[in-house]
């Protein structure tokens, strides 16, 4: 699973769509779709904004969500 697919699964389990997320982070749904279909990864600002929204949805801290997000890209971090 790549970053974009992980993001899609996370928002979908809370009843939201890629369009919803793109509005929340001030980006385009096309960008999020590219993360998913092309396997690209976000720039730092996109990563932080997405993790912030997911942390709110999950009710967890930002650091925990950043660790999960990094893991979805195959990066292990400990904050």
């Amino acid at each position: 699973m790549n970053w974009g697919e992980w993001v899609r699964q996370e928002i979908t389990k809370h009843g939201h769509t890629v369009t919803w997320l793109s509005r929340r982070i001030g980006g385009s749904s096309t960008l999020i779709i590219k993360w998913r279909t092309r396997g690209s990864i976000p720039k730092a600002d996109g990563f932080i904004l997405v993790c912030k929204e997911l942390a709110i949805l999950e009710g967890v801290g930002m650091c925990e969500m950043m660790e999960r997000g990094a893991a979805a890209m195959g990066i292990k971090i400990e904050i």
Side-chain angles (χ1 to χ4, degrees):
M1 172 180 355
N2 65 29
W3 159 261
E5 181 58 24
W6 175 77
V7 169
R8 187 198 64 77
Q9 286 181 8
E10 290 297 307
I11 60 174
T12 300
K13 73 182 180 184
H14 292 282
H16 295 291
T17 64
V18 169
T19 302
W20 172 86
L21 180 61
S22 65
R23 287 186 192 131
R24 298 286 298 176
I25 66 170
S28 71
S29 55
T30 304
L31 177 61
I32 298 170
I33 291 167
K34 285 181 184 177
W35 291 338
R36 187 170 159 229
T37 60
R38 294 187 184 164
S40 60
I41 59 172
K43 292 182 181 176
D45 59 337
F47 175 78
I48 291 168
L49 291 170
V50 168
C51 286
K52 175 186 165 205
E53 293 303 323
L54 293 177
I56 292 167
L57 284 177
E58 293 278 327
V60 300
M62 183 68 172
C63 291
E64 180 179 337
M65 191 53 67
M66 290 178 74
E67 287 177 358
R68 290 184 197 177
M73 291 186 278
I75 303 167
K76 182 178 179 179
I77 59 172
E78 294 181 17
I79 301 175

